[in-house]
């Protein structure tokens, strides 16, 4: 079983729609959580960190449920530019990042 | 400022050939990481350097893979006798340190290796 599991999608949504997806992680000792964004043939870029209390960054909202070991990302008012693969990332109390395989989101006009 | 720089961006190798991939981390970043990303998958950890010391190479898939960072800045990932299963994107990342649990890793654009 992979350490981080994600629904691969794809999620095809119209502009302006809300889209949400989750990932689950297996290591209960995980300390830090992130969402990275990766455009086709580009490097992963940090979208946002995920905090226990949940956090927002503009149209993006991330939630963490430690008891159930899942992380969610919600995108409101989707833009064409939000089309990308979203990588769920988990870190233990060290330096290693564990990545999910990514969830593909396509926003159509 | 400049980000993480990797070269070459693309490399085509014949099976059995040796390749060397270069990473220039962000200036002053102590920590450097190599990841391997297969098609349709997330990046997988290969190895970690703190300055010039290779502290973890547990993710290297075989002894054909070797990484170094002799002066604590530029790093090279070398793959000897390449095999088709080595075809992937090799990503380098750097961070200021690892002292903080939330320390951010910044990625380079990667080297796409195709072994024929």
């Amino acid at each position: 079983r992979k350490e981080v599991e994600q629904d691969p999608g794809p999620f095809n949504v119209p502009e302006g729609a809300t889209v949400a997806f989750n990932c689950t992680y297996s290591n209960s000792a995980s300390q830090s959580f992130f969402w990275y964004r990766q455009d086709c043939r580009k490097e992963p870029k940090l979208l946002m960190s995920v905090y226990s209390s949940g956090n927002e960054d503009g149209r993006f909202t991330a939630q963490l449920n430690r008891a159930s070991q899942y992380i969610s990302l919600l995108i409101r008012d989707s833009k064409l530019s939000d089309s990308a693969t979203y990588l769920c990332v988990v870190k233990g109390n060290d330096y290693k990042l564990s990545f999910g395989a990514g969830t593909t989101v396509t926003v159509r006009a | 400022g400049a980000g993480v720089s990797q070269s070459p961006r693309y490399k085509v190798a014949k099976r059995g050939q040796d390749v060397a991939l270069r990473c220039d981390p962000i200036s002053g970043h102590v920590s450097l990481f190599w990841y391997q990303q297969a098609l349709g998958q997330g990046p997988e950890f290969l190895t970690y350097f703190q300055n010039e010391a290779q502290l973890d190479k547990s993710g290297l898939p075989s002894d054909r893979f070797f990484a170094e960072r002799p002066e604590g800045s530029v790093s090279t990932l070398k793959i000897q006798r390449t095999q088709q299963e080595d075809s992937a994107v090799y990503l380098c990342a750097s961070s200021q340190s690892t002292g903080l649990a939330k320390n951010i890793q910044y990625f380079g654009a990667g080297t796409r290796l195709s072994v024929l």
Side-chain angles (χ1 to χ4, degrees):
Chain A
R1 183 186 172 200
K2 290 180 72 74
E3 189 170 341
V4 180
E5 301 268 10
Q6 287 185 252
D7 180 347
F11 289 80
N12 292 300
V13 299
E15 270 187 295
T18 296
V19 59
F21 42 88
N22 300 331
C23 83
T24 58
Y25 60 95
S26 59
N27 186 353
S28 60
S30 299
Q31 297 284 322
S32 305
F33 309 89
F34 309 91
W35 284 103
Y36 273 71
R37 171 195 170 125
Q38 188 170 29
D39 294 297
C40 188
R41 294 181 176 263
K42 296 290 182 67
E43 72 273 26
K45 291 184 178 177
L46 179 67
L47 178 67
M48 59 196 299
S49 300
V50 186
Y51 303 118
S52 296
S53 54
N55 48 297
E56 265 187 34
D57 184 358
R59 297 180 293 105
F60 297 84
T61 300
Q63 297 279 354
L64 168 64
N65 185 318
R66 282 188 184 271
S68 301
Q69 295 182 207
Y70 80 78
I71 308 152
S72 65
L73 182 67
L74 182 146
I75 308 173
R76 288 188 305 278
D77 188 22
S78 300
K79 311 292 185 191
L80 293 175
S81 57
D82 294 334
S83 297
T85 296
Y86 292 85
L87 299 167
C88 178
V89 185
V90 170
K91 188 176 178 184
N93 193 24
D94 60 4
Y95 43 82
K96 286 184 190 177
L97 298 183
S98 295
F99 286 80
T103 296
T104 300
V105 173
T106 302
V107 181
R108 61 182 188 275
Chain B
V4 178
S5 177
Q6 291 188 245
S7 62
R9 287 295 315 276
Y10 303 93
K11 176 69 179 177
V12 178
K14 291 183 179 178
R15 192 173 57 177
Q17 188 178 351
D18 297 350
V19 298
L21 314 180
R22 176 188 169 105
C23 172
D24 274 277
I26 294 172
S27 179
H29 277 195
V30 167
S31 300
L32 185 145
F33 308 83
W34 284 97
Y35 292 84
Q36 180 190 59
Q37 186 171 22
L39 189 65
Q41 299 298 315
E44 296 275 351
F45 171 82
L46 293 178
T47 187
Y48 159 59
F49 289 85
Q50 186 170 320
N51 295 308
E52 69 278 4
Q54 188 176 22
L55 300 186
D56 187 343
K57 54 182 181 179
S58 63
L60 296 177
S62 77
D63 59 7
R64 296 185 295 103
F65 287 70
F66 171 77
E68 59 182 6
R69 194 186 185 197
E71 297 178 0
S73 55
V74 170
S75 177
T76 303
L77 176 67
K78 297 179 180 178
I79 310 173
Q80 297 177 322
R81 304 180 304 282
T82 52
Q83 303 295 315
Q84 284 190 318
E85 62 263 27
D86 300 335
S87 296
V89 176
Y90 291 86
L91 294 163
C92 177
S94 70
S95 68
Q96 284 185 313
S97 72
T98 59
L100 300 173
K102 293 184 170 63
N103 206 284
I104 303 303
Q105 294 184 24
Y106 298 90
F107 284 80
T111 295
R112 185 174 297 272
L113 174 65
S114 297
V115 182
L116 306 178

